[in-house]
Amino acid sequence: MFADYKRGLWHGLPIALGYVSVSFAFGIQATSLGLTPLQAVLISFFNLTSAGQLAGLQLMAVGAPLVEMALTQLTINLRYALMSLSLSQKLDKSMTTVQRLLLSFANTDEVFAVASQQPGKLGKWYLYGLTNGPFVGWTLGTLLGALAGGILPGPVTDALGIAIYGMFIAIILPPFRKSREVRIVILIAVAMSCLFTLAPLFAFLSDGFRIILCAVAASALGAWLMPQPVKEDEEVQA
């Protein structure tokens, strides 16, 4: 039991350290938009989703309606449902429904990648260790960034505030370089985002609905224009 927890904690340590730096930038940006340090920390404590938090923060700053915020979060975070379904196939029989719910809360992109690479079935103690570190790192980084936002000079906080966008660029660059399909989908999304932002015809669209339209339309076009071929073994099973 302890050995499994320790192994999971060790595997999650690099994720936790990376989350500290990214959530530090989120904390700075949250306080710069008028949130208190406590509010920023509570957002990270109850969400643990970088892209969703950033999008939600921008919508909160402009006073977007709750429906728009909910749809935006659904669009951005839908991938977590797919990742949880995939990871559930690796869980052993000792995992109860409550424990699965706790795991799904902390099943981020990085946690999913590490857990999926482990051989055999995964038990609850390994997954507790794997997710505890990233959760603490994300919350702690937000707290430090929120507190630093009120101490550091304006030019420094402005510079640190854009670090979270650098994380998103770092995430998409590797698949962008390797996959032609990913490149096309990303370029479609970028082109649509520029169109919705710059064209006066679409000025009535809010930031949240622009994100929704770009994500859904680019993904749908990619799936339609470049469908993945069905493998022979999948055809036999069907």
Side-chain angles (χ1 to χ4, degrees), residues 31-67:
T31 52
S32 69
L33 292 176
L35 272 67
T36 66
L38 177 60
Q39 290 171 331
V41 171
L42 288 177
I43 290 175
S44 287
F45 186 88
F46 288 110
N47 286 273
L48 196 61
T49 163
S50 55
Q53 288 183 214
L54 182 63
L57 185 63
Q58 304 300 326
L59 295 177
M60 290 170 62
V62 299
L66 294 178
V67 172

mmCIF file of all heavy atoms in Angstrom, residues 31-67:
data_model
loop_
_atom_site.group_PDB
_atom_site.id
_atom_site.type_symbol
_atom_site.label_atom_id
_atom_site.label_comp_id
_atom_site.label_asym_id
_atom_site.label_seq_id
_atom_site.Cartn_x
_atom_site.Cartn_y
_atom_site.Cartn_z
ATOM 1 N N THR A 31 -5.611 37.918 -9.837
ATOM 2 C CA THR A 31 -5.631 39.112 -8.985
ATOM 3 C C THR A 31 -5.551 40.390 -9.810
ATOM 4 O O THR A 31 -6.099 41.423 -9.416
ATOM 5 C CB THR A 31 -4.468 39.074 -7.973
ATOM 6 O OG1 THR A 31 -3.223 38.846 -8.665
ATOM 7 C CG2 THR A 31 -4.676 37.961 -6.957
ATOM 8 N N SER A 32 -4.881 40.342 -10.966
ATOM 9 C CA SER A 32 -4.806 41.537 -11.811
ATOM 10 C C SER A 32 -6.166 41.888 -12.402
ATOM 11 O O SER A 32 -6.410 43.043 -12.773
ATOM 12 C CB SER A 32 -3.794 41.324 -12.941
ATOM 13 O OG SER A 32 -4.263 40.359 -13.880
ATOM 14 N N LEU A 33 -7.063 40.890 -12.488
ATOM 15 C CA LEU A 33 -8.410 41.133 -13.015
ATOM 16 C C LEU A 33 -9.420 41.431 -11.909
ATOM 17 O O LEU A 33 -10.617 41.530 -12.178
ATOM 18 C CB LEU A 33 -8.874 39.919 -13.826
ATOM 19 C CG LEU A 33 -8.116 39.679 -15.137
ATOM 20 C CD1 LEU A 33 -8.594 38.404 -15.814
ATOM 21 C CD2 LEU A 33 -8.275 40.870 -16.083
ATOM 22 N N GLY A 34 -8.940 41.556 -10.683
ATOM 23 C CA GLY A 34 -9.810 41.998 -9.603
ATOM 24 C C GLY A 34 -10.223 40.952 -8.594
ATOM 25 O O GLY A 34 -10.940 41.257 -7.638
ATOM 26 N N LEU A 35 -9.790 39.704 -8.764
ATOM 27 C CA LEU A 35 -10.133 38.674 -7.787
ATOM 28 C C LEU A 35 -9.225 38.774 -6.572
ATOM 29 O O LEU A 35 -8.077 39.208 -6.678
ATOM 30 C CB LEU A 35 -10.011 37.271 -8.406
ATOM 31 C CG LEU A 35 -11.240 36.711 -9.136
ATOM 32 C CD1 LEU A 35 -11.520 37.518 -10.397
ATOM 33 C CD2 LEU A 35 -11.045 35.243 -9.488
ATOM 34 N N THR A 36 -9.726 38.346 -5.429
ATOM 35 C CA THR A 36 -8.901 38.292 -4.233
ATOM 36 C C THR A 36 -8.053 37.017 -4.273
ATOM 37 O O THR A 36 -8.389 36.064 -4.983
ATOM 38 C CB THR A 36 -9.770 38.277 -2.975
ATOM 39 O OG1 THR A 36 -10.529 37.052 -2.945
ATOM 40 C CG2 THR A 36 -10.724 39.467 -2.961
ATOM 41 N N PRO A 37 -6.962 36.973 -3.506
ATOM 42 C CA PRO A 37 -6.176 35.742 -3.450
ATOM 43 C C PRO A 37 -6.994 34.527 -3.040
ATOM 44 O O PRO A 37 -6.805 33.439 -3.579
ATOM 45 C CB PRO A 37 -5.090 36.072 -2.421
ATOM 46 C CG PRO A 37 -4.902 37.551 -2.538
ATOM 47 C CD PRO A 37 -6.291 38.079 -2.797
ATOM 48 N N LEU A 38 -7.922 34.704 -2.108
ATOM 49 C CA LEU A 38 -8.764 33.588 -1.676
ATOM 50 C C LEU A 38 -9.631 33.085 -2.824
ATOM 51 O O LEU A 38 -9.776 31.866 -3.024
ATOM 52 C CB LEU A 38 -9.641 34.010 -0.501
ATOM 53 C CG LEU A 38 -10.626 32.944 0.017
ATOM 54 C CD1 LEU A 38 -9.887 31.705 0.485
ATOM 55 C CD2 LEU A 38 -11.500 33.519 1.135
ATOM 56 N N GLN A 39 -10.211 33.989 -3.579
ATOM 57 C CA GLN A 39 -11.042 33.585 -4.715
ATOM 58 C C GLN A 39 -10.221 32.832 -5.760
ATOM 59 O O GLN A 39 -10.677 31.830 -6.324
ATOM 60 C CB GLN A 39 -11.702 34.813 -5.337
ATOM 61 C CG GLN A 39 -12.782 35.442 -4.469
ATOM 62 C CD GLN A 39 -13.262 36.771 -5.008
ATOM 63 O OE1 GLN A 39 -12.520 37.501 -5.666
ATOM 64 N NE2 GLN A 39 -14.523 37.093 -4.742
ATOM 65 N N ALA A 40 -9.017 33.309 -6.023
ATOM 66 C CA ALA A 40 -8.155 32.638 -6.999
ATOM 67 C C ALA A 40 -7.802 31.230 -6.547
ATOM 68 O O ALA A 40 -7.840 30.280 -7.342
ATOM 69 C CB ALA A 40 -6.885 33.461 -7.214
ATOM 70 N N VAL A 41 -7.476 31.088 -5.266
ATOM 71 C CA VAL A 41 -7.117 29.772 -4.732
ATOM 72 C C VAL A 41 -8.314 28.825 -4.766
ATOM 73 O O VAL A 41 -8.181 27.644 -5.112
ATOM 74 C CB VAL A 41 -6.583 29.905 -3.294
ATOM 75 C CG1 VAL A 41 -6.421 28.537 -2.650
ATOM 76 C CG2 VAL A 41 -5.237 30.627 -3.304
ATOM 77 N N LEU A 42 -9.507 29.323 -4.448
ATOM 78 C CA LEU A 42 -10.698 28.473 -4.468
ATOM 79 C C LEU A 42 -11.014 27.988 -5.885
ATOM 80 O O LEU A 42 -11.478 26.852 -6.072
ATOM 81 C CB LEU A 42 -11.896 29.233 -3.890
ATOM 82 C CG LEU A 42 -11.871 29.471 -2.381
ATOM 83 C CD1 LEU A 42 -13.075 30.304 -1.948
ATOM 84 C CD2 LEU A 42 -11.838 28.147 -1.618
ATOM 85 N N ILE A 43 -10.756 28.833 -6.885
ATOM 86 C CA ILE A 43 -10.971 28.412 -8.269
ATOM 87 C C ILE A 43 -10.064 27.230 -8.598
ATOM 88 O O ILE A 43 -10.501 26.223 -9.164
ATOM 89 C CB ILE A 43 -10.723 29.580 -9.241
ATOM 90 C CG1 ILE A 43 -11.828 30.627 -9.105
ATOM 91 C CG2 ILE A 43 -10.650 29.078 -10.677
ATOM 92 C CD1 ILE A 43 -11.596 31.866 -9.944
ATOM 93 N N SER A 44 -8.789 27.333 -8.237
ATOM 94 C CA SER A 44 -7.853 26.243 -8.516
ATOM 95 C C SER A 44 -8.151 25.016 -7.665
ATOM 96 O O SER A 44 -7.986 23.876 -8.122
ATOM 97 C CB SER A 44 -6.415 26.703 -8.265
ATOM 98 O OG SER A 44 -5.983 27.591 -9.273
ATOM 99 N N PHE A 45 -8.589 25.224 -6.440
ATOM 100 C CA PHE A 45 -8.866 24.109 -5.532
ATOM 101 C C PHE A 45 -10.030 23.259 -6.033
ATOM 102 O O PHE A 45 -10.015 22.031 -5.913
ATOM 103 C CB PHE A 45 -9.182 24.653 -4.130
ATOM 104 C CG PHE A 45 -9.331 23.588 -3.078
ATOM 105 C CD1 PHE A 45 -8.229 23.130 -2.381
ATOM 106 C CD2 PHE A 45 -10.583 23.056 -2.787
ATOM 107 C CE1 PHE A 45 -8.359 22.140 -1.408
ATOM 108 C CE2 PHE A 45 -10.724 22.071 -1.821
ATOM 109 C CZ PHE A 45 -9.616 21.617 -1.128
ATOM 110 N N PHE A 46 -11.031 23.902 -6.632
ATOM 111 C CA PHE A 46 -12.229 23.179 -7.043
ATOM 112 C C PHE A 46 -12.279 22.872 -8.536
ATOM 113 O O PHE A 46 -13.259 22.281 -9.001
ATOM 114 C CB PHE A 46 -13.485 23.975 -6.659
ATOM 115 C CG PHE A 46 -13.759 23.988 -5.184
ATOM 116 C CD1 PHE A 46 -13.604 25.151 -4.449
ATOM 117 C CD2 PHE A 46 -14.154 22.836 -4.528
ATOM 118 C CE1 PHE A 46 -13.859 25.170 -3.087
ATOM 119 C CE2 PHE A 46 -14.416 22.845 -3.166
ATOM 120 C CZ PHE A 46 -14.258 24.008 -2.439
ATOM 121 N N ASN A 47 -11.248 23.249 -9.294
ATOM 122 C CA ASN A 47 -11.294 23.027 -10.740
ATOM 123 C C ASN A 47 -10.156 22.163 -11.260
ATOM 124 O O ASN A 47 -10.389 21.136 -11.875
ATOM 125 C CB ASN A 47 -11.308 24.366 -11.483
ATOM 126 C CG ASN A 47 -12.642 25.064 -11.374
ATOM 127 O OD1 ASN A 47 -13.551 24.832 -12.156
ATOM 128 N ND2 ASN A 47 -12.769 25.946 -10.394
ATOM 129 N N LEU A 48 -8.928 22.590 -11.078
ATOM 130 C CA LEU A 48 -7.766 21.847 -11.554
ATOM 131 C C LEU A 48 -7.818 21.647 -13.072
ATOM 132 O O LEU A 48 -7.677 20.554 -13.583
ATOM 133 C CB LEU A 48 -7.653 20.498 -10.837
ATOM 134 C CG LEU A 48 -6.294 19.773 -10.946
ATOM 135 C CD1 LEU A 48 -5.193 20.618 -10.356
ATOM 136 C CD2 LEU A 48 -6.352 18.417 -10.267
ATOM 137 N N THR A 49 -8.034 22.727 -13.801
ATOM 138 C CA THR A 49 -8.057 22.683 -15.259
ATOM 139 C C THR A 49 -7.537 24.002 -15.790
ATOM 140 O O THR A 49 -8.208 25.033 -15.691
ATOM 141 C CB THR A 49 -9.470 22.413 -15.800
ATOM 142 O OG1 THR A 49 -9.535 22.752 -17.183
ATOM 143 C CG2 THR A 49 -10.521 23.198 -15.049
ATOM 144 N N SER A 50 -6.353 23.998 -16.327
ATOM 145 C CA SER A 50 -5.688 25.237 -16.705
ATOM 146 C C SER A 50 -6.441 26.006 -17.783
ATOM 147 O O SER A 50 -6.767 27.185 -17.623
ATOM 148 C CB SER A 50 -4.264 24.934 -17.185
ATOM 149 O OG SER A 50 -4.288 23.972 -18.232
ATOM 150 N N ALA A 51 -6.737 25.367 -18.913
ATOM 151 C CA ALA A 51 -7.410 26.053 -20.012
ATOM 152 C C ALA A 51 -8.803 26.507 -19.603
ATOM 153 O O ALA A 51 -9.227 27.625 -19.919
ATOM 154 C CB ALA A 51 -7.479 25.140 -21.233
ATOM 155 N N GLY A 52 -9.517 25.643 -18.899
ATOM 156 C CA GLY A 52 -10.858 26.002 -18.455
ATOM 157 C C GLY A 52 -10.841 27.165 -17.478
ATOM 158 O O GLY A 52 -11.688 28.064 -17.543
ATOM 159 N N GLN A 53 -9.891 27.152 -16.558
ATOM 160 C CA GLN A 53 -9.804 28.248 -15.591
ATOM 161 C C GLN A 53 -9.478 29.567 -16.273
ATOM 162 O O GLN A 53 -10.044 30.611 -15.941
ATOM 163 C CB GLN A 53 -8.738 27.933 -14.538
ATOM 164 C CG GLN A 53 -9.157 26.854 -13.562
ATOM 165 C CD GLN A 53 -8.116 26.604 -12.488
ATOM 166 O OE1 GLN A 53 -7.946 25.487 -12.038
ATOM 167 N NE2 GLN A 53 -7.407 27.630 -12.062
ATOM 168 N N LEU A 54 -8.558 29.539 -17.215
ATOM 169 C CA LEU A 54 -8.170 30.768 -17.893
ATOM 170 C C LEU A 54 -9.337 31.334 -18.686
ATOM 171 O O LEU A 54 -9.598 32.538 -18.639
ATOM 172 C CB LEU A 54 -6.981 30.505 -18.814
ATOM 173 C CG LEU A 54 -6.442 31.735 -19.555
ATOM 174 C CD1 LEU A 54 -5.918 32.757 -18.552
ATOM 175 C CD2 LEU A 54 -5.348 31.345 -20.525
ATOM 176 N N ALA A 55 -10.041 30.461 -19.411
ATOM 177 C CA ALA A 55 -11.202 30.922 -20.177
ATOM 178 C C ALA A 55 -12.288 31.449 -19.251
ATOM 179 O O ALA A 55 -12.891 32.491 -19.509
ATOM 180 C CB ALA A 55 -11.736 29.788 -21.048
ATOM 181 N N GLY A 56 -12.528 30.732 -18.153
ATOM 182 C CA GLY A 56 -13.528 31.182 -17.200
ATOM 183 C C GLY A 56 -13.169 32.499 -16.553
ATOM 184 O O GLY A 56 -14.039 33.345 -16.309
ATOM 185 N N LEU A 57 -11.884 32.694 -16.307
ATOM 186 C CA LEU A 57 -11.424 33.940 -15.703
ATOM 187 C C LEU A 57 -11.715 35.128 -16.617
ATOM 188 O O LEU A 57 -12.181 36.179 -16.159
ATOM 189 C CB LEU A 57 -9.917 33.841 -15.419
ATOM 190 C CG LEU A 57 -9.281 35.002 -14.671
ATOM 191 C CD1 LEU A 57 -9.878 35.133 -13.285
ATOM 192 C CD2 LEU A 57 -7.767 34.799 -14.580
ATOM 193 N N GLN A 58 -11.454 34.964 -17.910
ATOM 194 C CA GLN A 58 -11.714 36.045 -18.860
ATOM 195 C C GLN A 58 -13.210 36.349 -18.939
ATOM 196 O O GLN A 58 -13.617 37.515 -19.036
ATOM 197 C CB GLN A 58 -11.183 35.660 -20.246
ATOM 198 C CG GLN A 58 -9.712 35.295 -20.291
ATOM 199 C CD GLN A 58 -8.814 36.427 -19.844
ATOM 200 O OE1 GLN A 58 -9.102 37.594 -20.066
ATOM 201 N NE2 GLN A 58 -7.708 36.077 -19.197
ATOM 202 N N LEU A 59 -14.029 35.305 -18.895
ATOM 203 C CA LEU A 59 -15.475 35.511 -18.966
ATOM 204 C C LEU A 59 -15.997 36.174 -17.699
ATOM 205 O O LEU A 59 -16.908 37.013 -17.748
ATOM 206 C CB LEU A 59 -16.180 34.175 -19.188
ATOM 207 C CG LEU A 59 -15.883 33.482 -20.525
ATOM 208 C CD1 LEU A 59 -16.576 32.130 -20.587
ATOM 209 C CD2 LEU A 59 -16.306 34.349 -21.695
ATOM 210 N N MET A 60 -15.431 35.802 -16.556
ATOM 211 C CA MET A 60 -15.825 36.448 -15.309
ATOM 212 C C MET A 60 -15.479 37.926 -15.328
ATOM 213 O O MET A 60 -16.236 38.763 -14.827
ATOM 214 C CB MET A 60 -15.138 35.763 -14.126
ATOM 215 C CG MET A 60 -15.639 34.359 -13.841
ATOM 216 S SD MET A 60 -14.613 33.480 -12.635
ATOM 217 C CE MET A 60 -14.804 34.516 -11.206
ATOM 218 N N ALA A 61 -14.322 38.254 -15.924
ATOM 219 C CA ALA A 61 -13.859 39.643 -15.947
ATOM 220 C C ALA A 61 -14.789 40.545 -16.757
ATOM 221 O O ALA A 61 -14.951 41.730 -16.438
ATOM 222 C CB ALA A 61 -12.445 39.715 -16.516
ATOM 223 N N VAL A 62 -15.408 39.986 -17.797
ATOM 224 C CA VAL A 62 -16.305 40.792 -18.637
ATOM 225 C C VAL A 62 -17.765 40.626 -18.247
ATOM 226 O O VAL A 62 -18.654 41.180 -18.906
ATOM 227 C CB VAL A 62 -16.114 40.442 -20.128
ATOM 228 C CG1 VAL A 62 -14.698 40.726 -20.557
ATOM 229 C CG2 VAL A 62 -16.471 38.980 -20.411
ATOM 230 N N GLY A 63 -18.041 39.849 -17.200
ATOM 231 C CA GLY A 63 -19.406 39.675 -16.734
ATOM 232 C C GLY A 63 -20.265 38.832 -17.645
ATOM 233 O O GLY A 63 -21.458 39.111 -17.826
ATOM 234 N N ALA A 64 -19.695 37.780 -18.228
ATOM 235 C CA ALA A 64 -20.448 36.913 -19.133
ATOM 236 C C ALA A 64 -21.535 36.161 -18.368
ATOM 237 O O ALA A 64 -21.385 35.865 -17.181
ATOM 238 C CB ALA A 64 -19.507 35.913 -19.809
ATOM 239 N N PRO A 65 -22.647 35.844 -19.033
ATOM 240 C CA PRO A 65 -23.717 35.088 -18.356
ATOM 241 C C PRO A 65 -23.278 33.674 -18.012
ATOM 242 O O PRO A 65 -22.366 33.117 -18.630
ATOM 243 C CB PRO A 65 -24.853 35.087 -19.386
ATOM 244 C CG PRO A 65 -24.185 35.323 -20.702
ATOM 245 C CD PRO A 65 -23.002 36.196 -20.417
ATOM 246 N N LEU A 66 -23.957 33.076 -17.046
ATOM 247 C CA LEU A 66 -23.597 31.740 -16.580
ATOM 248 C C LEU A 66 -23.750 30.689 -17.673
ATOM 249 O O LEU A 66 -22.973 29.736 -17.727
ATOM 250 C CB LEU A 66 -24.456 31.369 -15.370
ATOM 251 C CG LEU A 66 -24.232 32.202 -14.094
ATOM 252 C CD1 LEU A 66 -25.185 31.749 -12.998
ATOM 253 C CD2 LEU A 66 -22.787 32.088 -13.630
ATOM 254 N N VAL A 67 -24.747 30.840 -18.534
ATOM 255 C CA VAL A 67 -24.948 29.867 -19.611
ATOM 256 C C VAL A 67 -23.739 29.841 -20.536
ATOM 257 O O VAL A 67 -23.254 28.777 -20.942
ATOM 258 C CB VAL A 67 -26.229 30.196 -20.401
ATOM 259 C CG1 VAL A 67 -26.342 29.299 -21.637
ATOM 260 C CG2 VAL A 67 -27.459 30.034 -19.520
#
